[in-house]
Amino acid sequence: MKTKKILLGILINAAFAAGMISLVHAAPPIAVITSREFEVRGEVTSRTPIELTIVTPESKVAKIQVTDATTITKAGLNLKLSDIKVGDTVTATVMRDGEDKLSAVRVTVRVGNE
């Protein structure tokens, strides 16, 4: 288990150093999926018509752009961004775009203690 954490830490640090990961005042993401795609998990603290602000369990903040192409689900059902409420716990798969902004590929709203 310790070896997995060390390897994940090395991978995340390398991704940050290479500029592949960019979070606004945020800690390393939970899981790196590809060199440009990774997950951020936490509680929604604000929502605008185009953006979610998520605070991770480590109290770090990530601002994530949501587009019409973003898939949003809860318990297998499709949702709209307006269905996400402040206080919801989410897992967002995000990509860094050319302007160092985070764009959501998909957002999953957790149900209960998932």
Side-chain angles (χ1 to χ4, degrees):
M1 182 68 152
K2 187 175 182 180
T3 303
K4 287 181 181 178
K5 287 183 180 179
I6 291 171
L7 291 174
L8 180 58
I10 291 170
L11 178 61
I12 290 169
N13 286 334
F16 271 107
M20 294 183 287
I21 299 174
S22 173
L23 296 177
V24 178
H25 306 291
I30 301 300
V32 175
I33 298 170
T34 68
S35 62
R36 290 186 55 220
E37 191 174 288
F38 55 95
E39 287 183 345
V40 176
R41 295 180 188 155
E43 182 178 328
V44 175
T45 58
S46 71
R47 175 184 50 84
T48 71
I50 61 167
E51 182 178 79
L52 289 174
T53 302
I54 300 171
V55 176
T56 69
E58 299 81 20
S59 300
K60 304 302 179 184
V61 178
K63 293 189 177 281
I64 299 171
Q65 304 294 310
V66 179
T67 68
D68 291 337
T70 303
T71 302
I72 302 172
T73 60
K74 180 176 182 178
L77 301 174
N78 289 329
L79 301 177
K80 298 178 287 186
L81 178 59
S82 60
D83 295 322
I84 297 177
K85 307 294 182 222
V86 170
D88 283 344
T89 301
V90 300
T91 299
T93 301
V94 299
M95 294 186 74
R96 184 179 64 98
D97 69 15
E99 299 174 4
D100 289 332
K101 292 183 181 178
L102 299 178
S103 296
V105 175
R106 67 190 148 269
V107 177
T108 303
V109 180
R110 289 183 36 193
V111 177
N113 292 328
E114 284 182 8

